[in-house]
Amino acid sequence: MRFLLRPGWIAFVVAVLAFVVACYTLLAPWQFDREAQRDAQNQQIAEADATAPVPFAELVPAGQGVSGDDVWRRVDLTGTFEPGSEAVARLRQSSGQPAYEILTPLRLADGRTVVVNRGSVFAGDRGEIPAYAPPPAGTVTVQGRLRTNETDPAARAPFTESGVRQVYAVDSREVAGITGLTTVEGIVALDQGQPGVLTPIPVAPPGGGAPFSNFSYALQWLTFGLVALVALGIFIRLELLQRRPDRDRPVSLRDQLAGRDGYAPEDTGPGGDAERHDQNTRSTT
């Protein structure tokens, strides 16, 4: 087993063990956590669907923002859209195609301003923002789902181009920063058929729609770790078999003395292997 102390074998064993540790302590638990999060989200959506809409102020009192416990809940809002303070969220997708999402502030009767996601529009042939229907004028009552703010991982700043305010995340704080409005923290995504809605933002169905759940991926990582350990054992065994002398095939005395076929005299001193073989040879002759 001394071959395991060679640099190449040490590096190989360390790499395999590191992969196994990663599978069992990082990758599989990560997928288990994602499965738990998805189950919790699906449960939250199912409970929201089974609950009748309530006034916005009931779930989001004055001075507060949208709570994570109330995400997906349906609410009614009455107010006036402010298209002059509209912003467009970039780099979105709708039905697998590039799209933009239209964020329009809605001023409520109590004076607060809520950022409403009116839905998405498909990007133009060259990626430009297409023309889309404006929100209705005057006082309207709309229904939508509560959402918390998104966060842009790259922390890209909003900007204005050709008179259009653009942001990289559906975030009321970004809209407030680029428009100068004071907005409620959180978003309301309009439901299908509501005044001013475009292509509504889809809601993930309970149970999810992925062909393989995160739980299956977690089991795969556990299996990969086990396979890596078994493979390591097989490679070590093969190396041992290659290094073991072949004792099944008869070996002539001449080959033994010459050290061929896995036999080599280890002691050339008095009484050693070499001397005993010399004596055997003389007695035979």
Side-chain angles (χ1 to χ4, degrees), residues 41 45 49 71-72 74 87-95 97-104 115-122 143-148 150 169-170 187-194 196-205:
Q41 175 179 307
I45 293 173
D49 288 341
V71 171
W72 305 113
R74 293 177 295 170
V88 174
R90 297 173 53 84
L91 306 179
R92 320 301 289 186
Q93 283 194 345
S94 179
S95 301
Q97 300 183 35
Y100 295 92
E101 293 181 13
I102 310 304
L103 311 177
T104 309
V115 176
V116 173
N117 189 337
R118 296 203 291 128
S120 60
V121 292
F122 292 115
Q143 185 181 108
R145 293 179 182 267
L146 296 178
R147 300 293 302 271
T148 53
E150 296 178 354
V170 180
I187 302 290
V188 174
L190 289 186
D191 288 339
Q192 177 73 42
Q194 297 301 307
V197 71
L198 300 168
T199 300
I201 305 303
V203 178

Side-chain angles (χ1 to χ4, degrees), residues 28-52:
W30 169 54
Q31 291 295 342
F32 281 129
D33 289 342
R34 292 191 61 186
E35 178 72 12
Q37 293 173 4
R38 190 170 72 166
D39 288 344
Q41 175 179 307
N42 290 337
Q43 180 65 27
Q44 201 169 17
I45 293 173
E47 292 176 355
D49 288 341
T51 305

Side-chain angles (χ1 to χ4, degrees), residues 96-215:
Q97 300 183 35
Y100 295 92
E101 293 181 13
I102 310 304
L103 311 177
T104 309
L106 178 71
R107 185 172 297 278
L108 304 181
D110 61 8
R112 292 187 293 170
T113 300
V114 179
V115 176
V116 173
N117 189 337
R118 296 203 291 128
S120 60
V121 292
F122 292 115
D125 294 336
R126 292 175 294 180
E128 71 275 11
I129 302 173
Y132 54 86
T139 301
V140 295
T141 297
V142 295
Q143 185 181 108
R145 293 179 182 267
L146 296 178
R147 300 293 302 271
T148 53
N149 287 325
E150 296 178 354
T151 301
D152 177 22
R156 289 165 290 191
F159 65 95
T160 300
E161 183 177 74
S162 301
V164 180
R165 303 177 184 88
Q166 301 185 43
V167 296
Y168 288 94
V170 180
D171 187 342
S172 62
R173 297 165 298 186
E174 297 286 350
V175 176
I178 198 171
T179 61
L181 298 175
T182 300
T183 62
V184 176
E185 186 167 336
I187 302 290
V188 174
L190 289 186
D191 288 339
Q192 177 73 42
Q194 297 301 307
V197 71
L198 300 168
T199 300
I201 305 303
V203 178
F212 298 101
S213 66
N214 296 105
F215 183 80

Side-chain angles (χ1 to χ4, degrees), residues 29 42 48 56 75-76 83 124 127 148 161 201 203 235 247 275 278 282:
N42 290 337
F56 178 80
V75 293
D76 293 323
T148 53
E161 183 177 74
I201 305 303
V203 178
F235 285 136
R247 302 184 184 278
E275 181 178 344
D278 289 340
R282 287 194 297 272

